[in-house]
Amino acid sequence: MWTWAFLLPTGLFLLAFTYLPVLRVAVEGLSALSSLLAPENLNALRVTLLYTLLTVPLSILLGLLAALALEGRGFLRQALRALVFHPVLLPTVAFAAVFLYLLNPLGPLRGLLQAVGLQNPLGDPLGAFLAVVLVGVLKDAGLYMLYYLAGLQNLPKELLDAAQVDGADRVATFLKVTWPLLSPTTFFVGVMAALGALRNVDHIFVLTKGGPVGATDHLLYRVYILGFEYFDFPAASALSLALLALLTLLALLALPRLEGRVHYDA
């Protein structure tokens, strides 16, 4: 009885602010699934998938290259690691605000932007989308660098030494030994990057607010606009269910491989 008495306040809080809202979202979303076929919502889904397909491999590649370049000891490498990792420590809003200042038509990069034909990158659909992708990649690449550094440090040294004895150069050693051994790290980082691409939209609020003409209208940002600006909660709930379906599909694809690797390692 005392146990249930102590759990009751927390249970009531969860019921009022978690479970009942989730139930409401499910009911209203299922009743408004037809709204998913609206052109604006289909565009948000397309933008989200394209954004994910670009940011995930680019952030993984940048993190891997940074880890390979900065592996080892030395003050300079430590300083460069801290520099690459620094955006991870910054709030996404603050990091995006830096790029909002840099990409401003009157900002410090206006000469360079004009030289490449970009008078106002954030006012052009393609330029705005690429800017959002750039911020997303640079924000998370430092975290993935740490994962790859940990993976590189745990590689069997005898295999690397054997490759050198056999006469393999650095490129061959990486392609034949290092990269295959890093596949568990790459898979984990890929799942993390995909989840981040589907959930992180703070920089879109700061840089573009979904524009211009819907070029950066992320699915999660669209949920916010529908729910808290237009107060169209059924449509927002339907989009939330669509996003939940994407995350669930990603989990279903990832978990069997993760469990297989855990059993293999054991």
Side-chain angles (χ1 to χ4, degrees), residues 60-109:
I60 292 176
L61 177 62
L62 185 58
L64 175 62
L65 293 177
L68 293 173
L70 302 178
E71 182 190 13
R73 300 181 179 273
F75 175 78
L76 181 59
R77 289 183 176 179
Q78 297 290 339
L80 291 176
R81 285 185 197 176
L83 183 63
V84 175
F85 186 73
H86 183 65
V88 180
L89 302 177
L90 293 175
T92 305
V93 172
F95 188 65
V98 174
F99 279 85
L100 181 64
Y101 170 70
L102 293 176
L103 298 177
N104 190 290
L106 301 178
L109 298 181

Side-chain angles (χ1 to χ4, degrees), residues 108-123:
L109 298 181
R110 62 180 181 273
L112 177 62
L113 294 175
Q114 291 175 0
V116 297
L118 294 175
Q119 301 293 333
N120 182 14
L122 298 180

Side-chain angles (χ1 to χ4, degrees), residues 52 55-57 59-61 144 147-148 182-198 250 254 258:
T52 303
T55 53
V56 170
S59 58
I60 292 176
L61 177 62
Y144 306 147
Y147 289 133
Y148 275 116
L182 286 177
S183 59
T185 303
T186 302
F187 179 74
F188 174 76
V189 170
V191 174
M192 293 284 293
L195 290 175
L198 291 173
L250 180 62
L258 287 175

Side-chain angles (χ1 to χ4, degrees), residues 109-173:
L109 298 181
R110 62 180 181 273
L112 177 62
L113 294 175
Q114 291 175 0
V116 297
L118 294 175
Q119 301 293 333
N120 182 14
L122 298 180
D124 176 73
L126 179 59
F129 181 77
L130 293 179
V132 168
V133 170
L134 176 64
V135 173
V137 170
L138 294 180
K139 181 68 175 65
D140 296 330
L143 179 62
Y144 306 147
M145 175 195 69
L146 289 187
Y147 289 133
Y148 275 116
L149 284 172
L152 290 172
Q153 293 174 0
N154 291 325
L155 293 181
K157 301 301 181 183
E158 58 272 12
L159 294 180
L160 300 176
D161 295 337
Q164 292 181 354
V165 171
D166 291 339
D169 56 12
R170 297 186 63 178
V171 175
T173 301

